[in-house]
Amino acid sequence: MELVDRYIAAVQRELPENKRQEIGRELKANICDQLDAFAEQGELTESQVAAVLKQMGHPCKVAQQFVPSVPIIASEDIPLFKHTLFMVLGVLFVLQVVGGTMQWLGSTEGSLFRFIQHLASGFIGDACLAFTAIGLSFWSFSAQGKPLSGSNCQKWQPQNLPKVGPGWQHISLSDVFADLATYLFLLLVIWCSVWMSSEQLAARTVIFSANAQQWLQWFSPIILLSMGNSLWQLRRRVWTSELLLANMGINLAYASFLVFLAFSSPLLQSQGTELQGRFTVLQLEQWLSYGLVISAMFPGYEVIRDGLRWRKLAHK
């Protein structure tokens, strides 16, 4: 029985200390029952004992059957973890590009290689920090046995499932998180004077004009309303008439504001630092105006799309 004792001890080493004795006794009883069946057929040999232990499996595998290992992130939270991580990394990359471009335009050297190197190193540092913070946040909930998605999985009722409808009625999680990341980025750009230091603000070569900055700040409540609408979509996950109407109103506000802002000159102003002969403020402002008009086409398209969808739902 020495081989059995060695096997049980190997299993116990893989177990928490407070469960070793109890599981060891249970495992030994199980092994002895199997060995007794062989003993009834004749004298029990060491090779037969080894065969029984081999059939039971490696001690690490047996220990995991008694005490399953807790994953770093609960399986039901993995989709949410991936979407959160991708959206945060997307926002960080855009912020890094915007900040790096501003510094490059105001730099005396203007080396494209240095710009790419600075962009890559800054994004990698921010990405590592974001990955660590998000991973630890999800791990803390998983370690407590309270996954973030657990409440929705436990409280669901078959009667609350949505009716069968066309594929477009399903709201994609990636679309919701992409919208939330975009709204957060807009707020960060509009209110950069709040979170950026005075040195960082002074280093910017080109900034929004006072008139454009004021219009953008007045539009901030609409952005906050948009975030609330996205959270509403995240909760419902199916397009309804109410959600479509709300989305149409918000997108119409965005399209109108972008067109209005595109023709509200001046949009940009220089802080006294030359742009090293690459571009003029007037050229940048023209490109920004064209970009705003093109950007307005996207929410305008969504207004028409949601209007047609709302009409289909209304005539059901």
Side-chain angles (χ1 to χ4, degrees):
M1 298 294 289
E2 180 189 359
L3 198 57
V4 175
D5 293 336
R6 288 164 55 188
Y7 183 83
I8 293 175
V11 174
Q12 288 177 321
R13 281 193 289 269
E14 305 295 332
L15 297 172
E17 188 173 355
N18 59 342
K19 295 185 178 182
R20 289 177 180 175
Q21 296 301 324
E22 177 185 355
I23 294 177
R25 289 192 297 267
E26 181 181 349
L27 182 61
K28 186 172 184 178
N30 187 14
I31 295 174
C32 289
D33 289 340
Q34 297 186 47
L35 293 178
D36 289 342
F38 283 98
E40 292 177 357
Q41 301 174 5
E43 185 178 354
L44 193 64
T45 63
E46 185 174 346
S47 60
Q48 289 177 323
V49 175
V52 171
L53 298 179
K54 180 72 174 179
Q55 185 179 6
M56 294 193 66
H58 193 277
C60 293
K61 183 178 180 180
V62 175
Q64 290 182 358
Q65 292 175 357
F66 285 99
V67 183
S69 57
V70 179
I72 296 178
I73 299 175
S75 57
E76 55 264 42
D77 280 345
I78 290 179
L80 180 60
F81 170 77
K82 290 170 59 178
H83 284 295
T84 304
L85 181 63
F86 291 156
M87 292 305 106
V88 171
L89 292 181
V91 172
L92 291 176
F93 180 75
V94 173
L95 290 176
Q96 194 67 38
V97 171
V98 172
T101 303
M102 292 298 182
Q103 292 183 8
W104 181 59
L105 291 175
S107 174
T108 56
E109 299 180 1
S111 172
L112 181 61
F113 175 76
R114 288 185 176 273
F115 167 71
I116 297 176
Q117 184 181 30
H118 173 76
L119 180 65
S121 61
F123 174 71
I124 291 174
D126 292 343
C128 291
L129 180 61
F131 179 81
T132 303
I134 296 173
L136 288 176
S137 300
F138 276 82
W139 170 80
S140 64
F141 283 98
S142 299
Q144 298 173 11
K146 301 177 180 178
L148 296 174
S149 305
S151 59
N152 293 332
C153 295
Q154 293 174 0
K155 297 179 180 179
W156 79 280
Q157 295 293 335
Q159 297 84 351
N160 296 333
L161 292 175
K163 297 180 179 179
V164 178
W168 61 261
Q169 276 194 268
H170 173 72
I171 300 177
S172 173
L173 280 177
S174 59
D175 292 343
V176 175
F177 281 101
D179 290 343
L180 286 172
T182 303
Y183 300 145
L184 179 60
F185 168 71
L186 289 175
L187 289 176
L188 290 174
V189 172
I190 293 173
W191 296 97
C192 59
S193 58
V194 176
W195 59 271
M196 292 181 68
S197 63
S198 56
E199 293 79 9
Q200 291 175 319
L201 291 173
R204 296 169 61 188
T205 305
V206 178
I207 61 175
F208 285 112
S209 65
N211 185 51
Q213 186 70 29
Q214 185 179 34
W215 282 112
L216 287 169
Q217 291 178 355
W218 285 354
F219 192 73
S220 295
I222 302 297
I223 301 178
L224 293 175
L225 183 63
S226 305
M227 298 179 71
N229 182 57
S230 295
L231 295 175
W232 187 18
Q233 296 175 16
L234 187 62
R235 181 178 179 83
R236 298 298 298 269
R237 297 296 307 279
V238 174
W239 286 111
T240 62
S241 298
E242 295 80 7
L243 275 175
L244 288 172
L245 288 175
N247 211 50
M248 288 169 58
I250 289 174
N251 282 319
L252 182 60
Y254 273 93
S256 303
F257 178 75
L258 290 173
V259 172
F260 169 78
L261 194 63
F263 295 98
S264 298
S265 184
L267 294 175
L268 301 174
Q269 67 182 37
S270 174
Q271 295 198 118
T273 307
E274 296 295 331
L275 297 180
Q276 306 301 322
R278 296 187 188 89
F279 315 109
T280 64
V281 176
L282 181 59
Q283 287 176 322
L284 290 176
E285 184 169 331
Q286 289 177 345
W287 295 341
L288 178 59
S289 298
Y290 295 150
L292 291 173
V293 173
I294 294 174
S295 300
M297 296 180 182
F298 292 96
Y301 159 76
E302 293 192 5
V303 170
I304 300 174
R305 180 202 64 186
D306 291 341
L308 296 175
R309 290 178 174 180
W310 177 82
R311 185 176 179 181
K312 291 180 181 178
L313 288 179
H315 287 79
K316 274 190 175 182

